[in-house]
Structure formats: structure tokens, C-alpha cells
């Protein structure tokens, strides 16, 4: 597989994981967002937990960054395919951490979290996902 094909696959995977992270939030909000929350007093703590979950991504971003540097060093060597695989694996793990704000927001729909905080959690997930794009310099 050529470097361009690998980059294309990783780009398509990025969009798939972003959709996997955001679709539950929008679907649950569309289905259950109009009713009253089960425990409205938990809305603010859920929002704070969603915002705080952004910091979980820090550890994963460090690992991703190191895998990115290793992939850059492995370009045009026999270790290049293994480096791309390791990068993709680190990136998948990082996507799970980056999706936490939106997933917590999806759960917060049931406690009555309003639309603006939900959009902020969705936006924070999108920004975290943007950090995991493959840079142009790689390849």
C-alpha cells in the first residue's frame, strides 16, 4: 500500500470516528431532548464532567505525538509499514478519549442538559479530534 493510500484510509477513518463520537449526542438529543430531565439537578455536574473529560485526552495525545514522530523517522525505511500501523493504533485509542465529552453530553441529555452546553461538548470533541489529523508534512 502506498503512503498516499495509507493517508487516505486514515482520513476516512478520522471522519468515521468523528461521526461515531457525535452521532449518539445528536440522536439522543433529538429523541429525548424535548422532555424533562430525570434529575435536573445533575445537569451542571454532568456538564462539568464533560468539560473535565477533555483532560483525559492529554495522556493519549502525548502517545499519539510520539507515534507521529516515530512514523516521521521511519519514512522511506523498511519499518515504515509497522510505524503506520502503530500510529493508527495510538490514534484509535486517542479517539476514544477524545470522544468522552460528546458521550458524556449524550448521557446528560437524560438529566436535562440544555442545548448550548451540549453544543459546547460536541464542539470540544470536534476540536480534540482535529488534533488527531495526520499532518501534511507526514508523507
Amino acid at each position: 500500500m502506498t503512503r498516499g493510500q495509507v493517508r487516505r484510509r486514515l482520513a476516512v477513518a478520522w471522519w468515521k470516528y468523528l461521526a461515531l463520537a457525535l452521532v449518539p449526542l445528536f440522536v439522543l438529543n433529538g429523541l429525548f431532548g424535548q422532555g424533562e430531565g430525570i434529575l435536573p439537578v445533575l445537569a451542571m455536574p454532568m456538564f462539568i464532567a464533560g468539560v473535565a473529560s477533555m483532560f483525559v485526552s492529554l495522556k493519549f495525545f502525548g502517545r499519539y505525538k510520539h507515534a507521529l514522530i516515530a512514523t516521521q523517522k521511519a519514512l522511506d525505511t523498511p519499518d515504515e509499514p509497522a510505524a503506520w500501523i502503530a500510529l493508527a493504533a495510538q490514534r484509535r485509542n486517542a479517539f476514544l478519549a477524545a470522544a468522552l465529552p460528546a458521550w458524556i453530553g449524550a448521557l446528560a441529555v437524560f438529566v436535562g442538559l440544555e442545548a448550548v452546553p451540549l453544543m459546547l461538548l460536541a464542539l470540544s470533541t470536534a476540536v480534540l479530534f482535529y488534533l488527531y489529523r495526520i499532518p501534511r508534512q507526514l508523507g
Side-chain angles (χ1 to χ4, degrees), residues 100-125:
L100 281 176
W103 290 344
I104 291 172
L107 293 175
V109 166
F110 296 113
V111 295
L113 192 63
E114 299 294 325
V116 172
L118 288 176
M119 290 307 297
L120 288 173
L121 291 174
L123 182 64
S124 66
T125 293

Side-chain angles (χ1 to χ4, degrees), residues 43-102:
M44 185 56 73
M46 289 290 282
F47 176 69
I48 293 170
V51 171
S53 71
M54 289 172 37
F55 295 104
V56 172
S57 185
L58 288 173
K59 184 172 91 171
F60 291 94
F61 183 72
R63 291 179 185 162
Y64 168 74
K65 183 177 66 174
H66 290 298
L68 202 59
I69 292 168
T71 304
Q72 177 71 34
K73 289 180 182 176
L75 292 180
D76 298 324
T77 67
D79 295 332
E80 183 176 352
W84 282 109
I85 292 170
L87 176 66
Q90 288 297 329
R91 197 170 170 230
R92 267 191 310 274
N93 292 335
F95 284 155
L96 293 175
L100 281 176

Side-chain angles (χ1 to χ4, degrees), residues 24-37 106 109-113:
L25 174 64
F26 293 121
V27 168
L28 289 177
N29 189 41
L31 293 176
F32 303 108
Q34 304 302 327
E36 285 191 36
V109 166
F110 296 113
V111 295
L113 192 63

